[in-house]
Amino acid sequence: MSLRDAALFVRERAYAPYSGFKVGAAVKGSDGAVYRGCNVENAAYPEGTCAEAGAIAAMVAAGVTRLAEVYVIADSPRPVPPCGGCRQKIAEFADPGTPVTLATVAGEELVTTVGELLPGAFLSSDME
Ligand code: THU
């Protein structure tokens, strides 16, 4: 299954009764496996979590801590831009050159990189 198909599939499982905005994320780990996540909202709004966070949590729970590729999809007018917090979460497990594809359900795709999404990210190396 392609990353796009995996992200489209898991997007249908999003729990987004408050925003109505379903997001799916599929990431390829350094092990070659695909991990999926969807946004999970909450009646206490700030407790909701993004699709990217779910996919990264699934990868880490499987024992993998490096991202090879990221794909995010929503039914948005432009390829869905990850929020600032998700850019930081992605950067933790990726290289600046790691490819990230932002997509719409309608079929538009924007291929970018982790470094373009969050230039100058604060990393563990900054604490050495
Ligand atoms: N959302 C994501 O899951 N990922 C993004 O990159 C952008 C926003 C979710 C959070 C919330 O459940 C809904 O979209 C509206 O903000």
Side-chain angles (χ1 to χ4, degrees):
M1 188 185 269
S2 68
L3 280 185
R4 179 181 174 84
D5 285 345
L8 265 175
F9 178 86
V10 73
R11 178 181 167 273
E12 290 301 327
R13 292 186 173 165
Y15 178 75
Y18 306 107
S19 72
F21 189 70
K22 296 182 170 194
V23 185
V27 303
K28 186 175 286 181
S30 55
D31 62 341
V34 175
Y35 301 94
R36 302 177 296 192
C38 56
N39 52 330
V40 181
E41 298 184 346
N42 194 283
Y45 290 2
E47 297 305 324
T49 52
C50 286
E52 297 91 326
I56 289 170
M59 181 186 79
V60 173
V64 179
T65 53
R66 291 308 288 174
L67 286 164
E69 207 176 330
V70 177
Y71 196 106
V72 190
I73 195 164
D75 191 10
S76 40
R78 60 171 175 164
V80 61
C83 77
C86 284
R87 292 173 195 226
Q88 181 70 32
K89 288 181 176 77
I90 291 167
E92 178 74 15
F93 303 104
D95 300 322
T98 300
V100 180
T101 303
L102 312 176
T104 68
V105 170
E108 197 181 341
E109 288 187 342
L110 174 68
V111 182
T112 182
T113 64
V114 171
E116 281 174 351
L117 285 173
L118 189 62
F122 177 71
L123 300 172
S124 61
S125 54
D126 291 305
M127 293 185 286
E128 283 167 6

